[in-house]
């Protein structure tokens, strides 16, 4: 009996295991998907896994950032093989794993039997820690965000520069007016012709 799963290598929950059970599974950011990945790079309904002939077939559902297998962008359905790398966008990377388990198999080693018995009697593992905010995470429900307060920019330097330019132009215009009205061109500018 084969068991199929996707294991997240990088993304909002590294190490998360998604058991692939059922004939058709959708993957996306929306919580209505069988595999929901809360990340901005994942479209609401990003990809679909279909179980056909004992194998899982992956296809992109017209996502914005694309679905990739081993670095190649999907342009149509693709049969997944054990160990292949499935990526959604650039940051979400999962590994497709297949494990076979025969529930009727006989355990040949007494040590293995002891390990299995100990595992069955062990207390359940503690619950996982609460999910932390991930850089690309998207809020579960729209939250109205208040705009951040903006600091008022000082306009004093602009007025000082503008005032300085106006003062300089006025001084130059006044000097030229004084020189012209008193016929002092040859006194201040002897290099001009006609003096």
């Amino acid at each position: 009996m084969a068991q199929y799963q996707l294991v997240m290598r990088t993304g909002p929950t590294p190490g998360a295991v998604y058991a692939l059970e059922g004939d058709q599974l959708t993957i996306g950011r929306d919580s209505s998907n069988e595999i929901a990945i809360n990340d901005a790079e994942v479209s609401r309904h990003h990809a679909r896994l279909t179980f056909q002939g004992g194998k899982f077939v992956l296809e992109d559902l017209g996502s914005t950032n694309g679905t990739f297998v081993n670095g190649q962008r999907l342009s149509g359905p693709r049969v997944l093989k054990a160990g292949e790398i499935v990526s959604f966008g650039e940051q979400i990377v999962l590994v497709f794993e297949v494990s076979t388990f025969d529930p009727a198999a006989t355990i040949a080693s007494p040590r293995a039997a002891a390990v299995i018995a100990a595992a069955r009697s062990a207390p359940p593992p503690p619950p996982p820690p609460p999910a932390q905010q991930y850089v690309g995470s998207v809020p579960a429900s729209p939250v109205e965000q208040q705009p951040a307060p903006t600091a008022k920019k000082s306009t004093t330097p602009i007025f000082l520069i503008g005032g300085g330019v106006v003062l300089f132009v006025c001084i130059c215009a006044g000097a030229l007016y004084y020189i012209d009205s008193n016929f002092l061109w040859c006194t201040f500018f002897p290099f001009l012709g006609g003096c």
Side-chain angles (χ1 to χ4, degrees):
M1 175 181 204
Q3 293 180 336
Y4 303 92
Q5 61 188 20
L6 286 172
V7 179
M8 185 174 287
R9 278 196 182 167
T10 61
T13 53
V17 177
Y18 302 97
L20 306 180
E21 298 171 352
D23 291 336
Q24 187 167 313
L25 304 141
T26 56
I27 303 169
R29 190 174 71 234
D30 194 84
S31 61
S32 66
N33 293 287
E34 285 79 13
I35 298 175
I37 301 173
N38 185 19
D39 188 89
E41 285 197 22
V42 178
S43 296
R44 285 189 176 92
H45 299 285
H46 197 101
R48 177 176 32 238
L49 278 166
T50 309
F51 194 66
Q52 298 174 356
K55 299 181 183 199
F56 271 101
V57 177
L58 178 67
E59 61 183 311
D60 187 83
L61 296 176
S63 66
T64 303
N65 294 317
T67 302
F68 301 82
V69 175
N70 299 328
Q72 297 292 319
R73 188 172 187 145
L74 291 184
S75 57
R78 158 104 184 232
V79 175
L80 291 178
K81 297 179 183 118
E84 289 192 308
I85 306 298
V86 177
S87 306
F88 303 112
E90 294 179 7
Q91 302 297 321
I92 311 302
V93 178
L94 300 107
V95 180
F96 178 71
E97 294 182 352
V98 179
S99 59
T100 54
F101 173 69
D102 184 2
T106 305
I107 298 173
S109 164
R111 183 166 188 249
V115 168
I116 290 174
R120 287 182 180 158
S121 64
Q132 296 180 350
Q133 282 292 359
Y134 172 67
V135 174
S137 66
V138 178
S141 63
V143 177
E144 188 173 326
Q145 297 181 356
Q146 299 294 327
T150 56
K152 292 198 174 202
K153 295 181 181 179
S154 174
T155 55
T156 305
I158 295 172
F159 285 121
L160 287 177
I161 293 170
V165 168
V166 169
L167 182 64
F168 178 75
V169 169
C170 289
I171 290 172
C172 290
L176 290 174
Y177 177 76
Y178 175 78
I179 291 170
D180 192 51
S181 61
N182 292 315
F183 303 102
L184 299 174
W185 287 106
C186 290
T187 306
F188 286 102
F189 306 107
F191 52 86
L192 294 173
C195 291

